[in-house]
Amino acid sequence: MLLWIMLALAVYLASLFAPSLFLVARIGVGGYIGPRDSLPDPIAMHGRALRALRNMKESLFLFLPLAAISFLSPESDHQQALMGAQIFVIARLLYLPSYILGLPWVRSAIWTVGFVGIVMIGLSLM
């Protein structure tokens, strides 16, 4: 389980860096390392990357405590929790590019699969 928690954090880091890459591509390294007092409005893909990051933060708010409690609890169904964590991480790994590319039905389906992974972890604690 600990591996999947760490992988979820790695996916979070990827989500964190994605908007920065779009901004650097738009304003250049010199503009990025400056104070960034007046930034241009985000282009579509940059805006999607920002929203994907916000969504990842919201998902981690649920995933991390449940995964940690499941990892530490001797009474949880560890197999179900592990499968839920794997489903969540793989779904979130696929969610970022699907959101940035603007694939609405695919993105929503992937988000749903990831949420099912969180629910599985929660149910493993009952």
Side-chain angles (χ1 to χ4, degrees), residues 13-103:
L13 284 176
S15 299
L16 189 64
F17 288 121
S20 299
L21 295 176
F22 287 106
L23 188 57
V24 168
R26 186 129 184 243
I27 66 173
V29 175
Y32 190 78
I33 62 172
R36 291 181 265 164
D37 290 331
S38 58
L39 293 175
D41 290 334
I43 59 172
M45 292 179 95
H46 180 206
R48 289 183 205 132
L50 289 168
R51 290 188 297 279
L53 170 61
R54 185 172 53 237
N55 188 275
M56 183 62 178
K57 288 177 185 178
E58 294 166 356
S59 295
L60 278 180
F61 180 77
L62 295 173
F63 172 78
L64 288 176
L66 288 173
I69 292 167
S70 171
F71 177 69
L72 297 172
S73 174
E75 297 174 8
S76 74
D77 181 354
H78 293 290
Q79 283 301 109
Q80 180 177 332
L82 182 62
M83 184 179 293
Q86 292 168 341
I87 289 169
F88 172 80
V89 170
I90 292 168
R92 294 311 300 200
L93 187 60
L94 297 172
Y95 180 82
L96 180 62
S98 70
Y99 201 135
I100 291 173
L101 293 173
L103 307 174

